[in-house]
């Protein structure tokens, strides 16, 4: 375990995003008015003007969770409504509300007037309420539609009445933090921070009024200025490449973060200031190896599904910290953030504590014109929102062909995944882009595969010849009798190779309440022996650049975690850590 970390200057407890801190903000988490709209009559009855009385919900928790105060995990209602009253003191400012996540199709009204619609449950959006408010009391109303449509981007949320296999309770409505900022009308609308440790550069891309001046200050952990430069905003969205000098790299071993201040000036006066942070990183492929900041880096990852008992997929800060510390305690250096988009605070603690992340785009589970359209709309937004986090090493576009189920047979789908790869690669800052984690790859920076064979001998018999075959330019099965490494005519081109799902071991005592992969084990010693055999197989294959084991915790009926769903140890952490120490 690392020593107690020191927070960056932009961290303030209670604020949901240390990369975008402004002093003049108010949290809107807490009690909101709430209504189920089972007959879908809210628009006809004008709930945006006359909200039905009676029910409260605790935001940002979905009504399916205990933390929401409603706790109806089995209730399915396609349309729900939210309302909050708020006060405005002045019309001389811009009043910007940030919804960090609302699942799934959101229509926003302010004081009974339509403002905007946003589709997507996994990316943030902002609402400028300034034109719709007056001094004194105001109200904001949300209509949220969240159906069981299989071609909706939904991740691990079930699309049947009951949970099944590895799909769980759905989460509807506001599922992430909400806050309002009172900004000067001339302000920094958006920005990203792009670093390159090997080139020693920081690139700031900012959106702000033409003619204003943007000052960028970088300071070290002790607050000492590294550099400070100012730039004229000429186009409204401008990119500035700054020479950072002899900066310190960010890595798992040394998660060093720098403070960033962005200050906007108009007519010589300071009009906006945003506090942020960055870490200097460079990721690149050299042959089939992943180099992080110029060093060959072996990945020891764990699958993280982001589910908790009382909060479902909306963890508290304490729950986020606990998962990061458990991951480190087990000797992992990173996590595949599986089929969900973590909150900015979750990524912050991975930045702070030194955990590499694979950011995985949640899937739909059936392909259609609508799904295709939403992939291209939502995936880039999910990625851009968290782009500035140094912990992110790779982007996973699909998992196990979910939502692109016919990729093996369909030229259209294969072409679509290749187009998505090119689109995301163009904005990735060199990060790895993985087309379809598990099998049936098209264009991909890493060839990743899943296999839940239970012993070293079984893994050898299923994979040794297959790995030789793909290295020779052939296609081959990565799961015997089921799936191949590549889709269509795509073949291996010298990329990194990673065993990105295996193990999934359950205990016999849980057989009645859930499942794991293969035969369950009786004791922790049995678990360790079985897991060691799988790791021994991986260690034999020097062509692999790492692994990702299933999984950190149990998730409802899926009882194959290192910890229970309430984070109780199932296997001695120090023993798991010892097994991982031979990989470096």
């Amino acid at each position: 375990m690392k020593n107690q970390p020191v927070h960056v200057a932009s961290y303030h407890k209670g604020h949901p995003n240390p990369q975008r801190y402004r002093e003049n903000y108010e949290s809107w988490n807490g009690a909101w008015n709430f209504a189920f709209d089972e007959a879908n009559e809210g628009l006809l009855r004008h709930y945006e003007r006359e909200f039905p009385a009676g029910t409260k919900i605790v935001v940002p928790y979905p009504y399916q969770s205990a933390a929401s105060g409603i706790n109806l995990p089995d209730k399915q209602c396609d349309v729900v409504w939210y309302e909050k009253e708020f006060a405005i003191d002045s019309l001389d400012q811009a009043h910007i509300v940030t919804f960090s996540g609302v699942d799934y199709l959101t229509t926003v009204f302010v004081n009974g007037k339509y403002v905007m619609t946003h589709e997507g449950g996994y990316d943030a959006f902002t609402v400028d309420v300034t034109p719709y408010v007056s001094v004194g009391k105001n109200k904001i109303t949300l209509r949220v539609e969240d159906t069981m449509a299989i071609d909706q981007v939904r991740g691990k949320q079930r699309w049947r009445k009951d949970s099944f296999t590895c799909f769980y309770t759905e989460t509807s409505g506001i599922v992430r933090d909400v806050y309002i900022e009172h900004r000067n009308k001339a302000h920094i609308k958006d920005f990203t921070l792009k670093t390159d440790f090997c080139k020693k550069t920081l690139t700031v891309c900012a959106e702000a009024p033409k003619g204003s001046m943007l000052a960028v200050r970088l300071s070290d952990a002790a607050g000492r200025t590294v550099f400070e430069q100012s730039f004229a905003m000429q186009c409204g969205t401008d990119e500035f490449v700054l020479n950072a000098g002899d900066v310190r790299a960010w890595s798992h071993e040394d998660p060093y973060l720098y403070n960033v201040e962005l200050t906007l000036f108009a007519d010589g006066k300071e009009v906006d200031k945003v506090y942020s942070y960055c870490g200097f990183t460079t990721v690149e492929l050299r042959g089939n190896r992943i180099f992080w900041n110029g060093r060959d880096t072996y990945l020891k990852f764990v699958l993280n599904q982001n589910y908790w008992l009382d909060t479902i997929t909306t963890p508290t800060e304490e729950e986020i910290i606990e998962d990061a510390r458990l991951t480190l305690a087990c000797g992992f250096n990173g996590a595949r953030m599986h089929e969900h988009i973590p909150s900015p605070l979750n990524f912050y603690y991975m930045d702070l504590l030194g955990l590499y992340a694979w950011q995985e785009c949640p899937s739909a589970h059936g392909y259609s014109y609508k799904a295709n359209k939403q992939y291209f709309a939502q995936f880039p937004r999910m990625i851009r929102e968290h782009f500035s986090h140094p912990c992110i090493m790779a982007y996973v576009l699909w998992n196990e062909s979910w939502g692109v189920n016919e990729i093996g047979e369909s030229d259209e789908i294969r072409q679509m995944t290749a187009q998505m790869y090119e689109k995301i690669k163009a904005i990735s800052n060199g990060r790895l882009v993985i087309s379809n984690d598990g099998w049936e790859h098209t264009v991909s920076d890493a060839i990743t595969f899943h296999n839940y064979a239970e012993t070293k001998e079984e893994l050898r018999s299923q994979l040794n010849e297959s790995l030789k075959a793909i290295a020779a330019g052939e296609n081959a099965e990565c799961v015997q009798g089921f799936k191949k490494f590549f889709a269509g005519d795509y073949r291996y081109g010298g990329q990194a190779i990673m065993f990105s799902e295996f193990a999934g071991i359950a205990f016999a005592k849980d057989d009645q309440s859930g499942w794991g992969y293969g035969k369950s084990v009786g004791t922790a010693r049995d678990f360790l022996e079985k897991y060691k055999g799988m790791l021994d197989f991986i260690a034999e294959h020097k062509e692999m650049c790492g692994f990702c084991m299933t999984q950190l915790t149990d998730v409802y009926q899926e009882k194959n975690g290192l910890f229970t769903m309430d984070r109780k140890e199932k296997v001695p952490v120090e023993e798991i850590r010892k097994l991982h120490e031979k990989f470096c």
Side-chain angles (χ1 to χ4, degrees):
M1 292 290 290
K2 294 179 172 62
N3 294 329
Q4 184 67 27
V6 177
H7 284 290
V8 296
S10 57
Y11 169 83
H12 294 263
K13 190 168 180 62
H15 190 280
N17 190 353
Q19 283 205 321
R20 293 174 178 269
Y21 176 75
R22 286 180 171 88
E23 293 177 343
N24 197 6
Y25 90 100
E26 304 165 36
S27 173
W28 277 8
N29 293 346
W32 287 54
N33 296 324
F34 180 80
F36 292 108
D37 188 3
E38 297 184 72
N40 192 15
E41 61 185 8
L43 289 173
L44 292 174
R45 294 181 176 273
H46 293 291
Y47 285 4
E48 75 276 14
R49 297 202 295 264
E50 296 292 334
F51 202 85
T55 305
K56 297 282 187 181
I57 191 169
V58 179
V59 164
Y61 304 107
Y63 74 77
Q64 294 92 342
S65 70
S68 72
I70 295 179
N71 194 23
L72 293 173
D74 296 321
K75 184 176 180 64
Q76 294 164 1
C77 183
D78 286 355
V79 181
V80 296
W81 289 74
Y82 291 78
E83 182 191 64
K84 180 178 178 60
E85 190 175 89
F86 62 100
I88 292 295
D89 296 331
S90 170
L91 298 182
D92 294 332
Q93 294 176 299
H95 307 285
I96 312 294
V97 181
T98 296
F99 290 94
S100 303
V102 186
D103 199 355
Y104 172 74
L105 179 64
T106 308
T107 306
V108 181
F109 304 88
V110 175
N111 293 328
K113 296 179 180 178
Y114 170 81
V115 178
M116 65 171 292
T117 298
H118 177 270
E119 183 168 6
Y122 292 95
D123 63 293
F125 61 95
T126 59
V127 183
D128 185 351
V129 302
T130 313
Y132 306 93
V133 297
S134 57
V135 172
K137 292 182 179 180
N138 298 268
K139 68 175 183 178
I140 189 167
T141 310
L142 271 60
R143 178 188 184 272
V144 186
E145 184 174 342
D146 186 26
T147 73
M148 290 287 200
I150 198 170
D151 59 350
Q152 176 177 307
V153 175
R154 58 190 316 110
K156 296 302 288 281
Q157 298 180 62
R158 64 193 176 196
W159 60 93
R160 302 177 187 168
K161 183 179 184 296
D162 299 311
S163 298
F164 63 101
T165 60
C166 59
F167 299 99
Y168 322 116
T169 305
E170 66 272 31
T171 51
S172 302
I174 298 175
V175 294
R176 291 283 187 265
D177 301 278
V178 186
Y179 59 99
I180 187 170
E181 294 171 313
H182 308 288
R183 309 179 190 174
N184 192 291
K185 289 192 174 179
H187 58 265
I188 301 166
K189 187 174 181 180
D190 199 5
F191 69 94
T192 59
L193 305 174
K194 182 194 306 181
T195 65
D196 190 320
F197 171 71
C198 292
K199 293 180 180 178
K200 303 295 189 289
T201 58
L202 169 64
T203 301
V204 179
C205 182
E207 183 179 356
K210 292 181 184 180
S212 58
M213 293 291 295
L214 181 70
V216 181
R217 178 176 180 261
L218 185 78
S219 61
D220 64 18
R224 296 182 293 259
T225 298
V226 177
F227 67 75
E228 187 168 10
Q229 293 179 251
S230 296
F231 305 90
M233 298 296 299
Q234 297 179 343
C235 301
T237 299
D238 295 85
E239 187 171 277
F240 310 105
V241 181
L242 312 174
N243 185 349
D246 188 21
V247 288
R248 189 165 154 184
W250 182 97
S251 67
H252 164 68
E253 296 78 11
D254 182 22
Y256 192 85
L257 299 173
Y258 287 85
N259 299 305
V260 177
E261 293 177 17
L262 302 177
T263 308
L264 191 71
F265 295 87
D267 299 324
K269 296 180 180 179
E270 179 181 317
V271 293
D272 192 19
K273 184 186 286 286
V274 185
Y275 299 88
S276 188
Y277 70 87
C278 70
F280 283 85
T281 65
T282 304
V283 61
E284 56 186 331
L285 288 173
R286 298 183 189 174
N288 66 353
R289 313 306 297 176
I290 296 172
F291 278 71
W292 187 261
N293 301 329
R295 292 178 54 194
D296 190 350
T297 300
Y298 194 89
L299 308 186
K300 298 183 284 187
F301 274 36
V302 67
L303 198 73
N304 181 313
Q305 298 210 62
N306 197 59
Y307 277 83
W308 284 263
L309 284 173
D310 292 337
T311 56
I312 311 186
T313 57
T314 309
T316 64
E317 184 171 358
E318 291 69 29
E319 288 172 328
I320 290 170
I321 295 168
E322 182 176 26
D323 267 15
R325 292 196 179 279
L326 292 177
T327 302
L328 288 166
C330 289
F332 297 108
N333 62 8
R336 181 174 152 222
M337 309 307 281
H338 182 46
E339 284 292 316
H340 71 280
I341 302 295
S343 69
L345 202 60
N346 198 320
F347 276 134
Y348 168 67
Y349 276 103
M350 298 183 82
D351 293 337
L352 189 69
L353 296 171
L355 283 168
Y356 302 121
W358 283 14
Q359 180 181 335
E360 186 171 314
C361 296
S363 301
H365 293 278
Y367 185 73
S368 68
Y369 171 77
K370 176 184 176 183
N372 184 313
K373 183 179 178 182
Q374 288 309 313
Y375 289 147
F376 280 93
Q378 293 183 36
F379 284 9
R381 298 200 307 255
M382 295 175 193
I383 286 164
R384 191 178 190 282
E385 179 184 344
H386 304 284
F387 183 83
S388 304
H389 288 281
C391 66
I392 297 174
M393 173 184 282
Y395 300 116
V396 178
L397 304 180
W398 285 276
N399 171 71
E400 293 186 346
S401 304
W402 294 352
V404 289
N405 309 65
E406 297 82 17
I407 191 171
E409 299 79 35
S410 170
D411 289 336
E412 176 189 337
I413 293 178
R414 288 194 295 273
Q415 183 179 11
M416 186 271 292
T417 64
Q419 289 171 343
M420 182 65 79
Y421 168 89
E422 297 296 341
K423 185 177 183 70
I424 300 305
K425 193 65 180 177
I427 62 172
S428 71
N429 191 30
R431 287 167 172 154
L432 308 183
V433 180
I434 298 160
S435 64
N436 187 20
D437 189 76
W439 45 67
E440 295 183 317
H441 285 278
T442 56
V443 185
S444 189
D445 291 333
I447 304 306
T448 59
F449 64 96
H450 301 173
N451 189 298
Y452 284 98
E454 298 185 63
T455 66
K456 177 170 61 176
E457 290 71 26
E458 289 176 5
L459 287 167
R460 283 172 171 170
S461 68
Q462 291 196 30
L463 289 167
N464 278 1
E465 293 306 313
S466 290
L467 288 166
K468 289 178 184 177
I470 68 165
E474 303 170 19
N475 204 352
E477 291 180 341
C478 56
V479 180
Q480 198 169 58
F482 182 51
K483 291 290 184 180
K484 293 185 176 183
F485 281 88
F486 298 97
D489 295 329
Y490 287 91
R491 295 295 183 267
Y492 183 63
Q495 303 100 311
I497 298 174
M498 184 166 168
F499 196 173
S500 58
E501 269 193 43
F502 69 104
I505 304 166
F507 281 82
K509 64 181 179 60
D510 295 323
D511 283 349
Q512 299 303 310
S513 58
W515 63 274
Y517 289 96
K519 297 176 182 177
S520 54
V521 297
T523 67
R525 183 53 50 193
D526 295 335
F527 183 106
L528 291 164
E529 184 177 346
K530 190 172 185 178
Y531 183 48
K532 179 180 182 301
M534 298 171 184
L535 292 177
D536 287 345
F537 165 80
I538 294 170
E540 292 173 354
H541 286 270
K542 304 305 180 185
E543 72 272 31
M544 294 185 196
C545 64
F547 61 81
C548 179
M549 76 88 68
T550 304
Q551 63 181 323
L552 186 65
T553 72
D554 294 347
V555 185
Y556 297 113
Q557 70 271 15
E558 194 173 347
K559 305 287 189 179
N560 53 22
L562 295 170
F563 301 88
T564 62
M565 197 169 171
D566 58 355
R567 277 53 178 177
K568 291 178 182 175
E569 181 182 283
K570 295 164 68 176
V571 184
V573 166
E574 62 275 11
E575 296 297 323
I576 292 291
R577 187 179 185 87
K578 286 177 185 177
L579 292 178
H580 294 151
E581 286 175 350
K582 66 181 175 183
F583 299 93
C584 59

